[in-house]
């Protein structure tokens, strides 16, 4: 797999020009037969590679897959996504990323997949996965800060996704604390999980699911979900979207950690879907109704009760209207 990646990198560097079989052998120290075998594997992976006697190999097209070879060249980050671990299929990228986190992967490691067999949402809910049609990835973060600094990180993820979609011509809204909506429907969900000690975060795993080229959702998810394809009418390059989200995430996250960057907050406020709307949520076991207000510096949502009092929510479930609806 490593050799296959190295050959791919060599071919990609030449951007469609021929690379001779001999020069691949020389620089990687493998036999011609081995090169040929690896190239055949690349073809099986969906790469279109032309081989011409005495000229060598050249790459004609690459598949839209979320591998390191496809994503890393599109990054302009320092550490986010520099290490991409891709599995064709996993139960959940958050679970895989947590295992990577426990075994000491570098800060900013990203786990991607084409399909999740047990994609997860919050509170034990599930996240529907359409093989090869979505971006599903989890970022491992090692901020080294106290646990109380974690809540805004979900919103930084949502902000990064929202500005990415905005730059592509969509009109996204951020639904506090963890969703991105288009036309009132969920196009992206974020699930942040944390492993920590009392005073310090060990690592955070932030899972991002973006419905890119999803053509249809299973029932009852179809009532609340949408995709970029359904909204925009055309298929989009998942690699570019994944890379762009990571590119936009890094400066927002860094700014937040340095304590001088509230840019994510400006984005969440500007694109806030809840502000001014009547919402309901559970308080001490009962459902209460309030009007959603601003998001504060700690990423909390201000809510105003009919009687005039207000409160700040740290995280959790808020629903539109006075009826609980998922
Ligand atoms: P959530 O609990 O806020 O939302 C889950 C709810 O969203 C479900 O109950 C369902 O109604 C709806 N839903 C399910 N699948 C989809 C979908 N594909 N698109 C839109 N709505 C859907 C949101 O949780 C957090 C989701 C995070 C998903 C990422 S994917 C990569 C990473 N790995 C993993 O297992 N989860 C995260």
């Amino acid at each position: 797999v490593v050799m296959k990646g190295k050959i791919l990198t060599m071919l990609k560097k030449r951007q469609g020009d021929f690379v001779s079989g001999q020069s691949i052998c020389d620089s990687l120290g493998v036999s011609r037969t081995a090169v040929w075998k690896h190239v055949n594997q690349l073809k099986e992976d969906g790469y279109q590679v032309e081989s011409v006697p005495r000229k060598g190999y050249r790459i004609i097209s690459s598949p839209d897959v979320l591998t390191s070879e496809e994503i890393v060249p599109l990054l302009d980050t320092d550490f986010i996504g520099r290490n991409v671990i891709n599995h064709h299929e996993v139960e959940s990228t958050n679970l895989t990323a947590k295992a990577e986190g426990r075994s000491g992967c570098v800060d900013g490691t990203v786990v991607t997949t084409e399909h999740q067999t047990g994609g997860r949402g919050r509170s034990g809910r599930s996240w529907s996965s359409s093989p090869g049609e979505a971006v599903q990835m989890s970022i491992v973060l090692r901020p080294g800060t106290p646990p109380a600094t974690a809540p805004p990180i979900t919103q930084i993820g949502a902000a990064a996704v929202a500005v990415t979609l905005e730059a592509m011509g969509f009109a996204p809204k951020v639904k506090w604390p963890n969703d991105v909506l288009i036309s009132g429907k969920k196009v992206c969900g974020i699930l942040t999980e944390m492993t920590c000690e009392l005073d310090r975060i060990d690592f955070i795993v932030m899972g991002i699911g973006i419905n890119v080229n999803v053509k249809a959702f299973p029932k009852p998810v179809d009532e609340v979900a949408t995709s970029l394809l359904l909204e925009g009418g055309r298929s989009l390059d998942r690699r570019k979207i994944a890379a762009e989200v990571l590119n936009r995430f890094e400066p927002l996250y860094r700014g937040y950690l340095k304590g001088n960057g509230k840019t994510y907050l400006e984005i969440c406020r500007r694109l806030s879907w809840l502000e001014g709307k009547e919402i309901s949520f559970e308080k001490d076991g009962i459902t209460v109704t309030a009007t959603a207000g601003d998001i504060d510096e700690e990423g909390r949502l201000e809510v105003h009760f009919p009687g005039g009092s207000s409160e700040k929510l740290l995280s959790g479930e808020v629903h539109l209207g006075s009826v609980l609806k998922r």
Side-chain angles (χ1 to χ4, degrees):
V1 181
V2 176
M3 189 54 69
K4 185 174 79 177
K6 283 185 178 164
I7 294 174
L8 180 56
T9 306
M10 280 187 83
L11 294 177
K12 284 194 138 208
K13 261 194 195 135
R14 293 290 281 272
Q15 297 185 351
D17 283 339
F18 282 99
V19 184
S20 77
Q22 193 57 49
S23 67
I24 301 178
C25 297
D26 291 346
S27 48
L28 300 179
V30 286
S31 71
R32 284 216 167 218
T33 331
V35 172
W36 182 77
K37 274 189 190 156
H38 287 302
V39 168
N40 278 345
Q41 276 173 17
L42 286 174
K43 287 181 185 169
E44 274 171 28
D45 293 346
Y47 288 89
Q48 240 184 308
V49 185
E50 187 186 14
S51 44
V52 174
R54 281 183 299 278
K55 278 184 156 174
Y57 301 100
R58 76 181 174 120
I59 199 152
I60 295 169
S61 72
S62 307
D64 185 14
V65 288
L66 304 176
T67 55
S68 171
E69 288 80 12
E70 293 303 319
I71 290 181
V72 174
L74 304 177
L75 295 177
D76 55 32
T77 57
D78 288 331
F79 70 106
I80 297 289
R82 288 284 147 192
N83 178 33
V84 172
I85 299 168
N86 171 260
H87 296 283
H88 191 70
E89 182 179 298
V90 290
E91 183 181 342
S92 150
T93 54
N94 266 34
L95 289 177
T96 310
K98 275 196 261 182
E100 294 290 343
R102 279 192 296 272
S103 46
C105 71
V106 294
D107 190 13
T109 292
V110 170
V111 175
T112 61
T113 195
E114 300 299 316
H115 182 42
Q116 296 187 126
T117 54
R120 301 157 73 215
R122 294 176 303 159
S123 319
R125 288 194 288 269
S126 62
W127 185 255
S128 128
S129 161
S130 325
E133 294 181 340
V135 167
Q136 291 169 337
M137 61 180 178
S138 299
I139 313 175
V140 181
L141 300 166
R142 300 186 185 279
T145 50
T149 58
I153 292 177
T154 304
Q155 287 163 50
I156 297 173
V161 172
V163 286
T164 298
L165 301 186
E166 236 188 349
M168 293 166 64
F170 291 100
K173 291 279 175 188
V174 176
K175 183 188 170 201
W176 183 92
N178 71 324
D179 292 330
V180 179
L181 313 180
I182 297 181
S183 321
K185 288 181 153 189
K186 220 188 269 204
V187 73
C188 163
I190 295 178
L191 175 66
T192 309
E193 298 178 276
M194 167 163 73
T195 303
C196 62
E197 284 154 42
L198 271 179
D199 56 342
R200 191 173 167 278
I201 296 170
D202 188 9
F203 62 85
I204 285 175
V205 164
M206 193 177 72
I208 303 178
I210 310 171
N211 303 321
V212 180
N213 298 324
V214 182
K215 294 179 213 77
F217 295 93
K219 285 195 179 311
V221 176
D222 59 341
E223 286 169 29
V224 296
T226 191
S227 73
L228 298 180
L229 172 66
L230 293 173
E231 295 299 320
R234 61 193 180 98
S235 286
L236 296 162
D237 193 322
R238 292 180 304 141
R239 298 167 291 187
K240 285 189 188 153
I241 295 172
E244 195 53 21
V245 168
L246 300 174
N247 286 338
R248 298 205 180 240
F249 177 77
E250 186 177 274
L252 295 175
Y253 173 68
R254 269 204 170 144
Y256 169 68
L257 287 188
K258 282 190 198 139
N260 58 5
K262 291 283 189 276
T263 321
Y264 80 93
L265 202 55
E266 282 159 25
I267 297 167
C268 290
R269 284 172 172 166
R270 180 171 61 82
L271 300 177
S272 172
W273 188 70
L274 286 177
E275 175 143 34
K277 290 198 168 91
E278 191 186 320
I279 57 162
S280 65
F281 58 94
E282 291 219 357
K283 187 173 149 72
D284 307 324
I286 54 165
T287 303
V288 295
T289 310
T291 305
D294 197 8
I295 300 161
D296 79 359
E297 307 263 299
E298 275 88 56
R300 295 176 298 189
L301 178 73
E302 248 174 329
V303 296
H304 306 287
F305 294 107
S309 63
S310 47
E311 189 178 320
K312 286 177 172 185
L313 305 183
L314 186 56
S315 70
E317 309 282 337
V318 297
H319 308 272
L320 198 58
S322 43
V323 191
L324 274 181
K325 211 168 112 191
R326 281 193 171 149

